[in-house]
Amino acid sequence: LYTAPDSCEGRCGEPFNEEDECHCHPECETHGNCCEDHERHCGPDGFSSSRDSITDEELLELSERLYELDHNKARPSDITLNPQHLAGPDETGDQRDRSPQPLYKYVNEELFSKPTYASFIKLLDNYQRATGREEEVTAEELREQEHFLREVMETELMKELFVFLQGKNRYSSEQEFVQDLKEMWFGLYSRGDGERDSSGFEHVFSGTAAPGAGPQAAPGRGLIRHPRCVPGEVKKGKVSGFHNWIRFYLLEKQGVLNYFSHNFNGP
């Protein structure tokens, strides 16, 4: 789970680090530099040592249950891929397009009319690609974030997740949970030069198409390149993030992303 830098949630017993805003190791009380919620999370009756603790087995069971409840997800019949060329180790950095056809042969775009998909797609143009430049969040973009969170919380999956966390005494209300989600996904932090230039959502899901020459994917990793395509975030000239199939499909359909090949034929 997300851990705030000024909280001991999920940090109990961690080693001392002078860069931390506050501390959660056992000696912090002696040194007087504990986080304010140290006792709540790490004391004798705190989450880490009480009936409210969450075990690995419970997380595994929960994740399986959430997967089964994801009735919103695309079905095998909704997407047909055309992987084409499997690149060898000596081919991953040579910038040759060995797959002349698009990666996506077919996508059932009726999926995009579902409330969570539609509100998600609205968010994709809210970010600038370069790290080191502070994001400007408009009132409209904030409304789009709120709308996405409302739609997400209507799903069985998220309702089940909230019930589980509430049962573990992590949240007393759904409003409190949603506020945490908003901070996890959309809260800004720095990836470069100290500017608040990134968020979890931007890094994982977003991609941008920009005019002019754009950076390439790192050799040996994602084999995609186009002079107008900048998927995901760009840091030191390399793309990072961009882990979302919807964004990949939309950019490829628009002709601003060119699929070259793949170098791992995973399960």
Side-chain angles (χ1 to χ4, degrees), residues 226-264:
H226 192 284
R228 292 185 295 116
C229 171
V230 188
E233 287 188 305
V234 178
K235 185 175 182 180
K236 296 181 179 179
K238 293 184 178 180
V239 172
S240 64
F242 191 58
H243 307 300
N244 180 253
W245 73 266
I246 297 174
R247 187 55 168 158
F248 194 112
Y249 166 73
L250 292 175
L251 285 174
E252 186 176 60
K253 182 182 178 182
Q254 293 165 19
V256 297
L257 182 148
N258 183 17
Y259 168 70
F260 275 13
S261 57
H262 61 289
N263 64 353
F264 176 65

mmCIF file of all heavy atoms in Angstrom, residues 226-264:
data_model
loop_
_atom_site.group_PDB
_atom_site.id
_atom_site.type_symbol
_atom_site.label_atom_id
_atom_site.label_comp_id
_atom_site.label_asym_id
_atom_site.label_seq_id
_atom_site.Cartn_x
_atom_site.Cartn_y
_atom_site.Cartn_z
ATOM 1 N N HIS A 226 8.654 6.384 -32.931
ATOM 2 C CA HIS A 226 8.088 7.218 -33.975
ATOM 3 C C HIS A 226 8.517 8.634 -33.663
ATOM 4 O O HIS A 226 8.535 9.043 -32.500
ATOM 5 C CB HIS A 226 6.551 7.120 -33.998
ATOM 6 C CG HIS A 226 5.939 7.730 -35.214
ATOM 7 N ND1 HIS A 226 5.835 9.093 -35.365
ATOM 8 C CD2 HIS A 226 5.430 7.168 -36.327
ATOM 9 C CE1 HIS A 226 5.265 9.350 -36.533
ATOM 10 N NE2 HIS A 226 5.011 8.222 -37.138
ATOM 11 N N PRO A 227 8.899 9.448 -34.648
ATOM 12 C CA PRO A 227 9.382 10.791 -34.352
ATOM 13 C C PRO A 227 8.365 11.678 -33.659
ATOM 14 O O PRO A 227 8.732 12.684 -33.079
ATOM 15 C CB PRO A 227 9.755 11.339 -35.736
ATOM 16 C CG PRO A 227 9.058 10.471 -36.723
ATOM 17 C CD PRO A 227 8.984 9.127 -36.078
ATOM 18 N N ARG A 228 7.068 11.360 -33.725
ATOM 19 C CA ARG A 228 6.066 12.190 -33.068
ATOM 20 C C ARG A 228 5.500 11.540 -31.823
ATOM 21 O O ARG A 228 4.585 12.061 -31.221
ATOM 22 C CB ARG A 228 4.925 12.496 -34.048
ATOM 23 C CG ARG A 228 5.332 13.393 -35.191
ATOM 24 C CD ARG A 228 4.140 13.753 -36.060
ATOM 25 N NE ARG A 228 3.587 12.598 -36.741
ATOM 26 C CZ ARG A 228 2.373 12.115 -36.534
ATOM 27 N NH1 ARG A 228 1.578 12.666 -35.665
ATOM 28 N NH2 ARG A 228 1.936 11.074 -37.222
ATOM 29 N N CYS A 229 6.015 10.377 -31.454
ATOM 30 C CA CYS A 229 5.391 9.640 -30.357
ATOM 31 C C CYS A 229 6.227 9.726 -29.093
ATOM 32 O O CYS A 229 7.395 9.405 -29.109
ATOM 33 C CB CYS A 229 5.225 8.174 -30.738
ATOM 34 S SG CYS A 229 4.706 7.170 -29.359
ATOM 35 N N VAL A 230 5.621 10.174 -28.018
ATOM 36 C CA VAL A 230 6.300 10.164 -26.741
ATOM 37 C C VAL A 230 5.390 9.495 -25.715
ATOM 38 O O VAL A 230 4.642 10.158 -25.016
ATOM 39 C CB VAL A 230 6.650 11.593 -26.280
ATOM 40 C CG1 VAL A 230 7.523 11.534 -25.036
ATOM 41 C CG2 VAL A 230 7.387 12.330 -27.381
ATOM 42 N N PRO A 231 5.393 8.162 -25.653
ATOM 43 C CA PRO A 231 4.535 7.465 -24.703
ATOM 44 C C PRO A 231 5.126 7.518 -23.304
ATOM 45 O O PRO A 231 6.337 7.461 -23.133
ATOM 46 C CB PRO A 231 4.507 6.039 -25.239
ATOM 47 C CG PRO A 231 5.812 5.882 -25.926
ATOM 48 C CD PRO A 231 6.196 7.240 -26.453
ATOM 49 N N GLY A 232 4.294 7.580 -22.313
ATOM 50 C CA GLY A 232 4.770 7.565 -20.950
ATOM 51 C C GLY A 232 5.537 8.829 -20.603
ATOM 52 O O GLY A 232 5.419 9.861 -21.232
ATOM 53 N N GLU A 233 6.335 8.735 -19.566
ATOM 54 C CA GLU A 233 7.151 9.861 -19.143
ATOM 55 C C GLU A 233 8.509 9.789 -19.817
ATOM 56 O O GLU A 233 8.987 8.729 -20.176
ATOM 57 C CB GLU A 233 7.360 9.820 -17.633
ATOM 58 C CG GLU A 233 6.144 10.192 -16.841
ATOM 59 C CD GLU A 233 6.493 10.312 -15.379
ATOM 60 O OE1 GLU A 233 7.023 9.365 -14.812
ATOM 61 O OE2 GLU A 233 6.215 11.379 -14.810
ATOM 62 N N VAL A 234 9.135 10.926 -19.951
ATOM 63 C CA VAL A 234 10.466 10.986 -20.527
ATOM 64 C C VAL A 234 11.420 11.539 -19.488
ATOM 65 O O VAL A 234 11.205 12.620 -18.949
ATOM 66 C CB VAL A 234 10.491 11.882 -21.781
ATOM 67 C CG1 VAL A 234 11.908 11.977 -22.330
ATOM 68 C CG2 VAL A 234 9.555 11.313 -22.830
ATOM 69 N N LYS A 235 12.459 10.785 -19.188
ATOM 70 C CA LYS A 235 13.475 11.218 -18.241
ATOM 71 C C LYS A 235 14.836 10.910 -18.828
ATOM 72 O O LYS A 235 15.124 9.760 -19.179
ATOM 73 C CB LYS A 235 13.304 10.512 -16.898
ATOM 74 C CG LYS A 235 14.270 11.018 -15.819
ATOM 75 C CD LYS A 235 13.981 10.378 -14.480
ATOM 76 C CE LYS A 235 14.908 10.937 -13.411
ATOM 77 N NZ LYS A 235 14.664 10.342 -12.088
ATOM 78 N N LYS A 236 15.656 11.936 -18.983
ATOM 79 C CA LYS A 236 16.987 11.805 -19.570
ATOM 80 C C LYS A 236 16.909 11.158 -20.944
ATOM 81 O O LYS A 236 17.720 10.299 -21.305
ATOM 82 C CB LYS A 236 17.911 11.008 -18.639
ATOM 83 C CG LYS A 236 18.166 11.697 -17.306
ATOM 84 C CD LYS A 236 19.093 10.913 -16.422
ATOM 85 C CE LYS A 236 19.330 11.650 -15.104
ATOM 86 N NZ LYS A 236 20.221 10.882 -14.193
ATOM 87 N N GLY A 237 15.881 11.532 -21.715
ATOM 88 C CA GLY A 237 15.773 11.071 -23.089
ATOM 89 C C GLY A 237 15.208 9.681 -23.261
ATOM 90 O O GLY A 237 15.140 9.175 -24.383
ATOM 91 N N LYS A 238 14.785 9.034 -22.183
ATOM 92 C CA LYS A 238 14.238 7.684 -22.291
ATOM 93 C C LYS A 238 12.812 7.645 -21.750
ATOM 94 O O LYS A 238 12.476 8.339 -20.796
ATOM 95 C CB LYS A 238 15.113 6.676 -21.532
ATOM 96 C CG LYS A 238 16.480 6.478 -22.149
ATOM 97 C CD LYS A 238 17.261 5.401 -21.410
ATOM 98 C CE LYS A 238 18.618 5.167 -22.062
ATOM 99 N NZ LYS A 238 19.379 4.117 -21.349
ATOM 100 N N VAL A 239 12.003 6.804 -22.375
ATOM 101 C CA VAL A 239 10.619 6.634 -21.946
ATOM 102 C C VAL A 239 10.575 5.715 -20.734
ATOM 103 O O VAL A 239 11.238 4.681 -20.703
ATOM 104 C CB VAL A 239 9.780 6.031 -23.090
ATOM 105 C CG1 VAL A 239 8.388 5.662 -22.589
ATOM 106 C CG2 VAL A 239 9.689 7.012 -24.246
ATOM 107 N N SER A 240 9.792 6.100 -19.739
ATOM 108 C CA SER A 240 9.552 5.215 -18.600
ATOM 109 C C SER A 240 8.062 5.200 -18.332
ATOM 110 O O SER A 240 7.333 6.105 -18.728
ATOM 111 C CB SER A 240 10.318 5.685 -17.360
ATOM 112 O OG SER A 240 9.864 6.949 -16.942
ATOM 113 N N GLY A 241 7.605 4.184 -17.635
ATOM 114 C CA GLY A 241 6.171 4.050 -17.423
ATOM 115 C C GLY A 241 5.493 3.548 -18.690
ATOM 116 O O GLY A 241 6.016 2.695 -19.390
ATOM 117 N N PHE A 242 4.293 4.097 -18.972
ATOM 118 C CA PHE A 242 3.539 3.722 -20.178
ATOM 119 C C PHE A 242 3.175 2.232 -20.166
ATOM 120 O O PHE A 242 3.484 1.483 -21.070
ATOM 121 C CB PHE A 242 4.378 4.075 -21.422
ATOM 122 C CG PHE A 242 3.604 3.970 -22.722
ATOM 123 C CD1 PHE A 242 2.463 4.701 -22.936
ATOM 124 C CD2 PHE A 242 4.043 3.142 -23.728
ATOM 125 C CE1 PHE A 242 1.764 4.605 -24.130
ATOM 126 C CE2 PHE A 242 3.352 3.029 -24.932
ATOM 127 C CZ PHE A 242 2.215 3.765 -25.126
ATOM 128 N N HIS A 243 2.514 1.813 -19.094
ATOM 129 C CA HIS A 243 2.195 0.405 -18.912
ATOM 130 C C HIS A 243 0.733 0.072 -19.220
ATOM 131 O O HIS A 243 0.199 -0.882 -18.654
ATOM 132 C CB HIS A 243 2.493 -0.011 -17.467
ATOM 133 C CG HIS A 243 3.872 0.306 -16.999
ATOM 134 N ND1 HIS A 243 4.999 -0.204 -17.594
ATOM 135 C CD2 HIS A 243 4.319 1.103 -15.998
ATOM 136 C CE1 HIS A 243 6.074 0.244 -16.971
ATOM 137 N NE2 HIS A 243 5.685 1.044 -16.005
ATOM 138 N N ASN A 244 0.090 0.834 -20.080
ATOM 139 C CA ASN A 244 -1.345 0.644 -20.248
ATOM 140 C C ASN A 244 -1.717 0.313 -21.690
ATOM 141 O O ASN A 244 -1.348 1.035 -22.614
ATOM 142 C CB ASN A 244 -2.087 1.906 -19.802
ATOM 143 C CG ASN A 244 -3.582 1.765 -19.949
ATOM 144 O OD1 ASN A 244 -4.175 2.354 -20.835
ATOM 145 N ND2 ASN A 244 -4.197 0.955 -19.120
ATOM 146 N N TRP A 245 -2.463 -0.764 -21.864
ATOM 147 C CA TRP A 245 -2.787 -1.228 -23.218
ATOM 148 C C TRP A 245 -3.725 -0.268 -23.948
ATOM 149 O O TRP A 245 -3.648 -0.126 -25.179
ATOM 150 C CB TRP A 245 -3.402 -2.632 -23.183
ATOM 151 C CG TRP A 245 -4.811 -2.722 -22.670
ATOM 152 C CD1 TRP A 245 -5.206 -2.979 -21.398
ATOM 153 C CD2 TRP A 245 -6.013 -2.582 -23.441
ATOM 154 N NE1 TRP A 245 -6.575 -2.999 -21.309
ATOM 155 C CE2 TRP A 245 -7.102 -2.762 -22.561
ATOM 156 C CE3 TRP A 245 -6.281 -2.317 -24.787
ATOM 157 C CZ2 TRP A 245 -8.431 -2.680 -22.967
ATOM 158 C CZ3 TRP A 245 -7.610 -2.241 -25.201
ATOM 159 C CH2 TRP A 245 -8.656 -2.427 -24.299
ATOM 160 N N ILE A 246 -4.629 0.413 -23.230
ATOM 161 C CA ILE A 246 -5.565 1.323 -23.888
ATOM 162 C C ILE A 246 -4.810 2.479 -24.532
ATOM 163 O O ILE A 246 -5.060 2.840 -25.685
ATOM 164 C CB ILE A 246 -6.613 1.854 -22.885
ATOM 165 C CG1 ILE A 246 -7.455 0.704 -22.330
ATOM 166 C CG2 ILE A 246 -7.509 2.896 -23.539
ATOM 167 C CD1 ILE A 246 -8.408 1.109 -21.226
ATOM 168 N N ARG A 247 -3.874 3.073 -23.789
ATOM 169 C CA ARG A 247 -3.106 4.188 -24.324
ATOM 170 C C ARG A 247 -2.262 3.739 -25.521
ATOM 171 O O ARG A 247 -2.154 4.458 -26.521
ATOM 172 C CB ARG A 247 -2.214 4.780 -23.231
ATOM 173 C CG ARG A 247 -1.498 6.068 -23.640
ATOM 174 C CD ARG A 247 -2.475 7.104 -24.126
ATOM 175 N NE ARG A 247 -1.857 8.417 -24.259
ATOM 176 C CZ ARG A 247 -2.327 9.378 -25.037
ATOM 177 N NH1 ARG A 247 -3.417 9.174 -25.752
ATOM 178 N NH2 ARG A 247 -1.731 10.542 -25.103
ATOM 179 N N PHE A 248 -1.655 2.558 -25.413
ATOM 180 C CA PHE A 248 -0.865 2.022 -26.527
ATOM 181 C C PHE A 248 -1.749 1.879 -27.770
ATOM 182 O O PHE A 248 -1.389 2.311 -28.871
ATOM 183 C CB PHE A 248 -0.280 0.662 -26.138
ATOM 184 C CG PHE A 248 0.801 0.167 -27.041
ATOM 185 C CD1 PHE A 248 2.118 0.064 -26.591
ATOM 186 C CD2 PHE A 248 0.524 -0.232 -28.344
ATOM 187 C CE1 PHE A 248 3.124 -0.405 -27.429
ATOM 188 C CE2 PHE A 248 1.511 -0.705 -29.185
ATOM 189 C CZ PHE A 248 2.823 -0.783 -28.725
ATOM 190 N N TYR A 249 -2.920 1.285 -27.589
ATOM 191 C CA TYR A 249 -3.829 1.068 -28.717
ATOM 192 C C TYR A 249 -4.262 2.385 -29.354
ATOM 193 O O TYR A 249 -4.258 2.527 -30.588
ATOM 194 C CB TYR A 249 -5.060 0.285 -28.253
ATOM 195 C CG TYR A 249 -6.191 0.294 -29.253
ATOM 196 C CD1 TYR A 249 -6.108 -0.447 -30.432
ATOM 197 C CD2 TYR A 249 -7.334 1.063 -29.026
ATOM 198 C CE1 TYR A 249 -7.134 -0.416 -31.370
ATOM 199 C CE2 TYR A 249 -8.366 1.091 -29.948
ATOM 200 C CZ TYR A 249 -8.262 0.357 -31.120
ATOM 201 O OH TYR A 249 -9.286 0.387 -32.046
ATOM 202 N N LEU A 250 -4.637 3.359 -28.523
ATOM 203 C CA LEU A 250 -5.114 4.639 -29.056
ATOM 204 C C LEU A 250 -4.022 5.370 -29.824
ATOM 205 O O LEU A 250 -4.276 5.948 -30.891
ATOM 206 C CB LEU A 250 -5.650 5.507 -27.922
ATOM 207 C CG LEU A 250 -6.937 5.014 -27.241
ATOM 208 C CD1 LEU A 250 -7.289 5.903 -26.055
ATOM 209 C CD2 LEU A 250 -8.096 4.943 -28.227
ATOM 210 N N LEU A 251 -2.798 5.360 -29.319
ATOM 211 C CA LEU A 251 -1.699 6.013 -30.022
ATOM 212 C C LEU A 251 -1.375 5.302 -31.334
ATOM 213 O O LEU A 251 -1.092 5.936 -32.349
ATOM 214 C CB LEU A 251 -0.451 6.066 -29.138
ATOM 215 C CG LEU A 251 -0.465 7.087 -28.002
ATOM 216 C CD1 LEU A 251 0.773 6.923 -27.130
ATOM 217 C CD2 LEU A 251 -0.547 8.504 -28.541
ATOM 218 N N GLU A 252 -1.408 3.976 -31.301
ATOM 219 C CA GLU A 252 -1.138 3.227 -32.529
ATOM 220 C C GLU A 252 -2.228 3.489 -33.567
ATOM 221 O O GLU A 252 -1.943 3.686 -34.760
ATOM 222 C CB GLU A 252 -1.043 1.728 -32.233
ATOM 223 C CG GLU A 252 -0.626 0.905 -33.444
ATOM 224 C CD GLU A 252 -0.452 -0.567 -33.120
ATOM 225 O OE1 GLU A 252 -1.445 -1.202 -32.683
ATOM 226 O OE2 GLU A 252 0.655 -1.098 -33.296
ATOM 227 N N LYS A 253 -3.471 3.539 -33.129
ATOM 228 C CA LYS A 253 -4.578 3.805 -34.044
ATOM 229 C C LYS A 253 -4.464 5.193 -34.666
ATOM 230 O O LYS A 253 -4.802 5.397 -35.842
ATOM 231 C CB LYS A 253 -5.902 3.672 -33.290
ATOM 232 C CG LYS A 253 -7.129 3.889 -34.170
ATOM 233 C CD LYS A 253 -8.409 3.789 -33.355
ATOM 234 C CE LYS A 253 -9.629 4.053 -34.242
ATOM 235 N NZ LYS A 253 -10.890 4.008 -33.457
ATOM 236 N N GLN A 254 -3.972 6.161 -33.896
ATOM 237 C CA GLN A 254 -3.806 7.528 -34.396
ATOM 238 C C GLN A 254 -2.605 7.662 -35.331
ATOM 239 O O GLN A 254 -2.433 8.699 -35.974
ATOM 240 C CB GLN A 254 -3.626 8.491 -33.219
ATOM 241 C CG GLN A 254 -4.860 8.640 -32.348
ATOM 242 C CD GLN A 254 -4.538 9.295 -31.017
ATOM 243 O OE1 GLN A 254 -3.501 9.935 -30.874
ATOM 244 N NE2 GLN A 254 -5.422 9.118 -30.039
ATOM 245 N N GLY A 255 -1.788 6.631 -35.405
ATOM 246 C CA GLY A 255 -0.620 6.683 -36.271
ATOM 247 C C GLY A 255 0.573 7.394 -35.678
ATOM 248 O O GLY A 255 1.495 7.770 -36.402
ATOM 249 N N VAL A 256 0.590 7.593 -34.387
ATOM 250 C CA VAL A 256 1.718 8.276 -33.755
ATOM 251 C C VAL A 256 2.615 7.325 -32.963
ATOM 252 O O VAL A 256 3.538 7.766 -32.278
ATOM 253 C CB VAL A 256 1.247 9.422 -32.841
ATOM 254 C CG1 VAL A 256 0.528 10.487 -33.638
ATOM 255 C CG2 VAL A 256 0.357 8.905 -31.721
ATOM 256 N N LEU A 257 2.334 6.040 -33.038
ATOM 257 C CA LEU A 257 3.185 5.044 -32.401
ATOM 258 C C LEU A 257 3.368 3.882 -33.376
ATOM 259 O O LEU A 257 2.401 3.411 -33.971
ATOM 260 C CB LEU A 257 2.542 4.558 -31.096
ATOM 261 C CG LEU A 257 3.327 3.547 -30.274
ATOM 262 C CD1 LEU A 257 3.054 3.740 -28.792
ATOM 263 C CD2 LEU A 257 2.982 2.111 -30.668
ATOM 264 N N ASN A 258 4.583 3.441 -33.543
ATOM 265 C CA ASN A 258 4.890 2.360 -34.473
ATOM 266 C C ASN A 258 5.470 1.187 -33.704
ATOM 267 O O ASN A 258 6.520 1.311 -33.061
ATOM 268 C CB ASN A 258 5.893 2.850 -35.529
ATOM 269 C CG ASN A 258 6.181 1.779 -36.572
ATOM 270 O OD1 ASN A 258 5.444 0.817 -36.706
ATOM 271 N ND2 ASN A 258 7.280 1.950 -37.297
ATOM 272 N N TYR A 259 4.798 0.062 -33.767
ATOM 273 C CA TYR A 259 5.249 -1.162 -33.097
ATOM 274 C C TYR A 259 6.311 -1.847 -33.962
ATOM 275 O O TYR A 259 6.074 -2.165 -35.123
ATOM 276 C CB TYR A 259 4.038 -2.078 -32.880
ATOM 277 C CG TYR A 259 4.382 -3.489 -32.459
ATOM 278 C CD1 TYR A 259 4.894 -3.751 -31.178
ATOM 279 C CD2 TYR A 259 4.187 -4.558 -33.335
ATOM 280 C CE1 TYR A 259 5.192 -5.047 -30.794
ATOM 281 C CE2 TYR A 259 4.487 -5.854 -32.951
ATOM 282 C CZ TYR A 259 4.996 -6.096 -31.681
ATOM 283 O OH TYR A 259 5.286 -7.378 -31.308
ATOM 284 N N PHE A 260 7.496 -2.086 -33.385
ATOM 285 C CA PHE A 260 8.613 -2.689 -34.128
ATOM 286 C C PHE A 260 8.662 -4.209 -33.967
ATOM 287 O O PHE A 260 8.884 -4.926 -34.935
ATOM 288 C CB PHE A 260 9.934 -2.101 -33.638
ATOM 289 C CG PHE A 260 10.306 -0.807 -34.297
ATOM 290 C CD1 PHE A 260 9.382 -0.087 -35.062
ATOM 291 C CD2 PHE A 260 11.576 -0.294 -34.145
ATOM 292 C CE1 PHE A 260 9.725 1.103 -35.647
ATOM 293 C CE2 PHE A 260 11.946 0.905 -34.751
ATOM 294 C CZ PHE A 260 11.012 1.603 -35.524
ATOM 295 N N SER A 261 8.520 -4.721 -32.760
ATOM 296 C CA SER A 261 8.598 -6.157 -32.486
ATOM 297 C C SER A 261 8.525 -6.342 -30.970
ATOM 298 O O SER A 261 8.352 -5.390 -30.236
ATOM 299 C CB SER A 261 9.908 -6.751 -33.033
ATOM 300 O OG SER A 261 11.030 -6.088 -32.488
ATOM 301 N N HIS A 262 8.652 -7.581 -30.537
ATOM 302 C CA HIS A 262 8.678 -7.850 -29.088
ATOM 303 C C HIS A 262 9.876 -8.745 -28.806
ATOM 304 O O HIS A 262 10.345 -9.477 -29.676
ATOM 305 C CB HIS A 262 7.377 -8.505 -28.621
ATOM 306 C CG HIS A 262 7.092 -9.831 -29.261
ATOM 307 N ND1 HIS A 262 6.724 -9.955 -30.581
ATOM 308 C CD2 HIS A 262 7.119 -11.103 -28.766
ATOM 309 C CE1 HIS A 262 6.544 -11.239 -30.879
ATOM 310 N NE2 HIS A 262 6.769 -11.952 -29.796
ATOM 311 N N ASN A 263 10.378 -8.693 -27.577
ATOM 312 C CA ASN A 263 11.544 -9.506 -27.251
ATOM 313 C C ASN A 263 11.304 -10.460 -26.095
ATOM 314 O O ASN A 263 12.241 -11.017 -25.549
ATOM 315 C CB ASN A 263 12.766 -8.610 -26.954
ATOM 316 C CG ASN A 263 12.582 -7.750 -25.729
ATOM 317 O OD1 ASN A 263 11.504 -7.696 -25.142
ATOM 318 N ND2 ASN A 263 13.645 -7.059 -25.339
ATOM 319 N N PHE A 264 10.025 -10.644 -25.731
ATOM 320 C CA PHE A 264 9.699 -11.641 -24.716
ATOM 321 C C PHE A 264 8.317 -12.161 -24.974
ATOM 322 O O PHE A 264 7.355 -11.397 -25.029
ATOM 323 C CB PHE A 264 9.771 -11.019 -23.299
ATOM 324 C CG PHE A 264 9.352 -11.973 -22.205
ATOM 325 C CD1 PHE A 264 10.102 -13.116 -21.944
ATOM 326 C CD2 PHE A 264 8.209 -11.745 -21.467
ATOM 327 C CE1 PHE A 264 9.712 -13.998 -20.933
ATOM 328 C CE2 PHE A 264 7.825 -12.618 -20.461
ATOM 329 C CZ PHE A 264 8.583 -13.741 -20.202
#
